[in-house]
Amino acid sequence: MNTRVLKTNVASIRGMVSVPGDKSISHRSIMFGSIAEGTTKVENFLPGADCLSTIACFKNLGVSIEQKGTSVYIEGQGLDGLKEPEGVLDVGNSGTTIRLMMGILSGRPFHTVLMGDESIAKRPMTRVVNPLREMGARIEGRHNGELTPLSVTGSTMQGIRYELPVASAQVKSAILLAGLQAEGRTVVVEPERTRDHTERMIVEFGGTVLREGNEISVEGNQHFKGTSIYVPGDISSAAFFMVAAAITENSEVVLKNVGLNPTRTGIIDVMKNMGADIQVEMTHHDGEPYGDITVRSSRLKATVIEGDLIPRLIDELPVIALLAVKADGTTIIKDASELKVKETNRIDTVADELSSIGADITPTDDGLIIKGGSSLSGGQVSSHGDHRIGMMLAVAGLLAKDELILEDPEAIQVSYPTFFEDLHTLIQ
């Protein structure tokens, strides 16, 4: 396995970064561009491994897609233009790709097989499969559709009303994508509000979606028109630099054009609650809002992170745990059992890796208990093939007193191919 010696014992970080495009929005821009009629241009697309898997899958479904760096051009032929693939659709490491594509493929009149890497083979799929079956989809797989490979045979879909047992934007999106092709109305009820990129994308491409409280509904047989999409910077990627600036002495970092969708800005709320010196300037309000974030080093205090805040920062919790390591007092994260079914069991992985370098952190059934004030030492740590764990550990390295070696740094390519280069430009 490859390793990388991390930058450690850093005095300060200062400068400006434009993080790559939002992963969630990049995925959806390809999907909607592929099922729309006409040309779609996507700017600031994230060319990470996960999003490239989405492009590859739609090319195999007969869609003409041309990628030029961070610009992508899609020639959509509408939903009816999708064609049965000759081989298996490989989603790589991307849970978003496989779950949302199931919603699209469930209403198409052909057969497909979906599979991914070893991580995908362990991730639960019945949370998507069951409601799609209720709508009329024919989906088979290992353990009665719990695990990949999954076989999807499209059929005529019927709208349903579905109450999500857990707050999940992926499950919600899969049901809505199926509902856009179904007979009648499809209603999804969320226990807590989750990221709403799919709903915004429906509107961007000329469709209609309604929200009343925690109920989201779409009518079936909708058609979409190609458009132009700008993908803001991914706040989940910006989070690593936000935390790095907050916990490294004498630091100031400006992050440009970061997505500020209110369903994703939980980390900003948490950092403010912990006393971080953070300023947000909204520069664009239409479609997906975005703007600039400035963070300076400051003294932090512990907090409790729970309830409806969790879906707004689920992907940022590993690096928030690191933030809590440098705060005064004991931080408690709870109601976050969803972390167990990410690329790794992020509850156990975060606790194990940070504990190994000196943090006082205890895993619980649904979160973490972090006693602040620890000093971090060197040693050997691992991403465990999880991009967010890898980046969190690289930021932890800034504070480590001795040499710190990261196993499997390549995992970071999934969402942030230039992460190390950008981090190193900030180090003073």
Side-chain angles (χ1 to χ4, degrees):
M1 181 176 290
N2 290 333
T3 61
R4 184 184 185 105
V5 178
L6 299 174
K7 295 284 188 180
T8 56
N9 206 18
V10 169
S12 67
I13 60 170
R14 306 184 76 84
M16 184 181 297
V17 175
S18 295
V19 298
D22 186 282
K23 188 155 77 84
S24 296
I25 300 171
S26 293
H27 279 302
R28 288 162 173 80
S29 67
I30 300 301
M31 293 180 182
F32 276 90
S34 295
I35 64 176
E37 297 173 0
T39 302
T40 292
K41 179 183 180 182
V42 183
E43 295 181 273
N44 202 38
F45 172 81
L46 169 64
D50 275 12
C51 297
L52 296 179
S53 292
T54 295
I55 286 181
C57 285
F58 278 96
K59 282 185 173 181
N60 286 331
L61 290 165
V63 181
S64 174
I65 303 174
E66 183 181 8
Q67 181 199 353
K68 296 179 179 178
T70 59
S71 296
V72 182
Y73 303 84
I74 308 161
E75 297 298 332
Q77 303 294 320
L79 278 161
D80 292 338
L82 299 181
K83 296 180 173 58
E84 183 170 285
E86 294 183 2
V88 171
L89 296 182
D90 185 354
V91 304
N93 186 244
S94 180
T96 300
T97 305
I98 192 166
R99 290 185 175 129
L100 271 61
M101 286 199 72
M102 275 195 276
I104 293 172
L105 294 171
S106 290
R108 296 298 86 214
F110 51 72
H111 175 259
T112 48
V113 175
L114 293 158
M115 66 177 294
D117 65 9
E118 291 181 4
S119 170
I120 288 293
K122 299 173 185 174
R123 297 177 71 174
M125 296 296 160
T126 48
R127 54 178 55 188
V128 174
V129 169
N130 288 343
L132 292 178
R133 283 174 173 169
E134 193 177 327
M135 297 176 76
R138 289 179 286 166
I139 305 175
E140 303 297 334
R142 291 187 300 131
H143 294 263
N144 193 32
E146 171 72 4
L147 300 172
T148 61
L150 294 170
S151 164
V152 183
T153 303
S155 59
T156 300
M157 306 290 280
Q158 299 294 326
I160 61 169
R161 177 184 176 85
Y162 190 78
E163 296 193 12
L164 294 177
V166 294
S168 169
Q170 291 182 356
V171 180
K172 172 183 68 174
S173 297
I175 298 168
L176 293 177
L177 285 163
L180 292 168
Q181 309 170 67
E183 299 293 333
R185 174 176 293 184
T186 296
V187 181
V188 180
V189 185
E190 299 186 290
E192 289 99 24
R193 189 164 186 178
T194 65
R195 58 186 66 178
D196 63 358
H197 303 305
T198 297
E199 296 95 304
R200 290 173 184 261
M201 197 72 72
I202 289 171
V203 174
E204 289 279 317
F205 280 84
T208 302
V209 59
L210 296 176
R211 172 179 280 276
E212 296 180 3
N214 277 12
E215 293 189 6
I216 308 101
S217 61
V218 294
E219 296 289 342
N221 297 309
Q222 294 199 37
H223 298 272
F224 303 100
K225 294 293 184 184
T227 188
S228 294
I229 297 289
Y230 174 79
V231 182
D234 196 327
I235 195 167
S236 295
S237 296
F240 297 97
F241 298 110
M242 292 161 64
V243 169
I247 64 177
T248 309
E249 291 185 1
N250 304 312
S251 296
E252 179 178 340
V253 173
V254 179
L255 296 146
K256 303 292 290 183
N257 298 327
V258 178
L260 295 172
N261 183 313
T263 64
R264 296 283 299 282
T265 53
I267 185 171
I268 294 175
D269 296 342
V270 165
M271 292 184 72
K272 287 180 176 178
N273 288 342
M274 295 178 75
D277 183 348
I278 181 169
Q279 295 176 312
V280 179
E281 180 187 359
M282 183 88 74
T283 59
H284 185 89
H285 298 268
D286 299 330
E288 288 283 355
Y290 58 88
D292 302 335
I293 302 173
T294 302
V295 182
R296 301 176 185 87
S297 52
S298 55
R299 184 158 186 173
L300 304 167
K301 62 181 186 295
T303 189
V304 177
I305 304 167
E306 62 184 337
D308 58 7
L309 187 57
I310 295 296
R312 296 177 56 228
L313 46 62
I314 190 72
D315 287 335
E316 292 75 69
L317 283 173
V319 79
I320 288 173
L322 174 63
L323 185 75
V325 169
K326 304 311 295 181
D328 295 331
T330 299
T331 293
I332 299 172
I333 299 171
K334 55 186 178 180
D335 302 325
S337 56
E338 188 69 9
L339 287 175
K340 294 179 178 179
V341 293
K342 294 292 185 176
E343 284 83 338
T344 59
N345 178 334
R346 287 181 178 163
I347 291 176
D348 290 345
T349 305
V350 168
D352 290 346
E353 294 300 322
L354 287 179
S355 294
S356 76
I357 56 173
D360 188 341
I361 180 168
T362 304
T364 65
D365 285 342
D366 65 348
L368 296 159
I369 300 171
I370 307 123
K371 293 183 180 178
S374 300
S375 294
L376 300 182
S377 59
Q380 187 140 332
V381 290
S382 175
S383 73
H384 296 270
D386 187 330
H387 55 125
R388 301 202 194 280
I389 299 296
M391 286 184 278
M392 180 272 289
L393 292 169
V395 174
L398 301 178
L399 304 180
K401 302 304 181 188
D402 305 303
E403 184 178 78
L404 190 63
I405 297 171
L406 175 64
E407 293 180 0
D408 194 13
E410 290 81 9
I412 292 168
Q413 297 286 323
V414 161
S415 63
Y416 201 152
T418 60
F419 172 75
F420 286 110
E421 292 89 330
D422 287 353
L423 179 62
H424 292 171
T425 65
L426 299 174
I427 294 173
Q428 301 299 297

